[in-house]
Amino acid sequence: IAKLIAEGIEGGLSPAAVGDAIEAWSGFDEYRAERIATTELAAAYNETTLHEYGEASIDQVEAIDGDDDPECAARNGRVYSLAEAAGIKDHPNGTLDWVPIVA
């Protein structure tokens, strides 16, 4: 699965397309395969985003996460240091995104 995720990132594929590849390879049903793809791609993109913000000397980020569940709602709009943000893992099919705080 990790190889399929990496290929999807390299190829600029959507979560649905990566999900199709996971479904074909694994035999998982469509929902499970796309959930895995969505979750893993979001985690990879968020990790990369935080790394790049650090490279740009950005020290803080704001969580954009919606209010579909208590965990997301509690995090939505909060400001974190990059180190704190790096330690936050989103749940499957999560919507967590990070925006830089620029002074």
Side-chain angles (χ1 to χ4, degrees):
I1 290 177
K3 181 180 177 195
L4 295 172
I5 298 294
E7 290 172 355
I9 291 170
E10 290 173 16
L13 301 178
S14 70
V18 175
D20 289 343
I22 292 171
E23 182 180 1
W25 174 81
S26 67
F28 293 149
D29 64 48
E30 180 180 3
Y31 175 78
R32 183 171 183 196
E34 191 166 328
R35 186 173 98 170
I36 291 167
T38 299
T39 301
E40 294 302 322
L41 287 171
Y45 289 137
N46 278 341
E47 183 178 325
T48 300
T49 295
L50 293 173
H51 173 77
E52 291 300 315
Y53 289 162
E55 292 291 312
S57 298
I58 293 168
D59 298 324
Q60 294 183 315
V61 291
E62 179 181 348
I64 305 299
D65 207 4
D67 58 4
D68 289 341
D69 61 65
E71 179 184 352
C72 293
R75 189 168 44 216
N76 189 45
R78 288 192 53 201
V79 174
Y80 296 90
S81 70
L82 281 184
E84 290 171 322
I88 295 173
K89 303 300 178 209
D90 203 6
H91 56 77
N93 265 353
T95 58
L96 177 61
D97 195 11
W98 299 107
V99 295
I101 301 296
V102 181

